[in-house]
Amino acid sequence: MKSCTACFATSGIFSLISSCTPTQYIAGTVGKDGITISKNDFKVSGKENSAYRSFIIIRNDALQYPICVYRFSDEQYSALWMKCTHQGTELNASGDFLQCPAHGSEFNSQGKVRNGPADQNLRIFPVVILNNDLFIDLRKQS
Ligand code: FES
């Protein structure tokens, strides 16, 4: 398990605890039109009920690139295609932003470019909340 200096320095502050948890990779359930995951996939096991990861990554053989799903609240999420819009390198998730290992482009948790050389935002898929599940609609994108 990775440790994080910020966590030790600020233990007790929930937002930093959740950002220091190991990245959660899941496969999700692939359907004809998209992928379904559970809200529970964001829960940090072993923590109190209110501890959630800020993002999880869907990695699945059916996908050419992973999808990073950010959780802003119980009702607000974003699903980002982890393909750099500069030259197509797979992005790395780094807390509340995504970074490209090839030439350093960065994108925020809404998929907007925050550092070039990329000059286009990431593909974003709609996230539909169905009770305790999240359906990521791969038919549509923006
Ligand atoms: S491919 Fe990502 S910055 Fe160039």
Side-chain angles (χ1 to χ4, degrees), residues 24-136:
Q24 170 87 327
Y25 293 94
I26 61 167
T29 304
V30 180
K32 184 169 73 74
D33 299 326
I35 295 181
T36 302
I37 62 175
S38 170
K39 286 182 178 180
N40 293 335
D41 292 328
F42 289 87
K43 282 191 176 169
V44 179
S45 58
K47 304 275 185 192
E48 294 298 320
N49 290 345
S50 57
Y52 292 91
R53 292 177 172 81
S54 59
F55 69 91
I56 58 176
I57 294 177
I58 303 172
R59 195 180 277 286
N60 192 305
D61 288 344
L63 298 171
Q64 192 179 1
Y65 288 84
I67 294 174
C68 187
V69 183
Y70 280 97
R71 178 188 188 276
F72 304 108
S73 72
D74 194 50
E75 302 299 320
Q76 288 187 302
Y77 300 85
S78 66
L80 310 175
W81 190 234
M82 294 178 72
K83 178 182 181 182
C84 182
T85 56
H86 180 228
Q87 291 180 356
T89 299
E90 185 175 312
L91 301 172
N92 295 324
S94 183
D96 64 351
F97 67 97
L98 301 170
Q99 188 172 47
C100 182
H103 313 108
S105 289
E106 291 180 359
F107 304 86
N108 70 17
S109 55
Q110 303 281 356
K112 305 244 186 295
V113 177
R114 71 176 214 177
N115 274 317
D119 60 3
Q120 292 182 15
N121 297 332
L122 298 178
R123 289 172 64 181
I124 301 177
F125 301 102
V127 179
V128 180
I129 299 172
L130 304 165
N131 298 317
N132 204 44
D133 289 338
L134 304 176
F135 175 69
I136 297 161

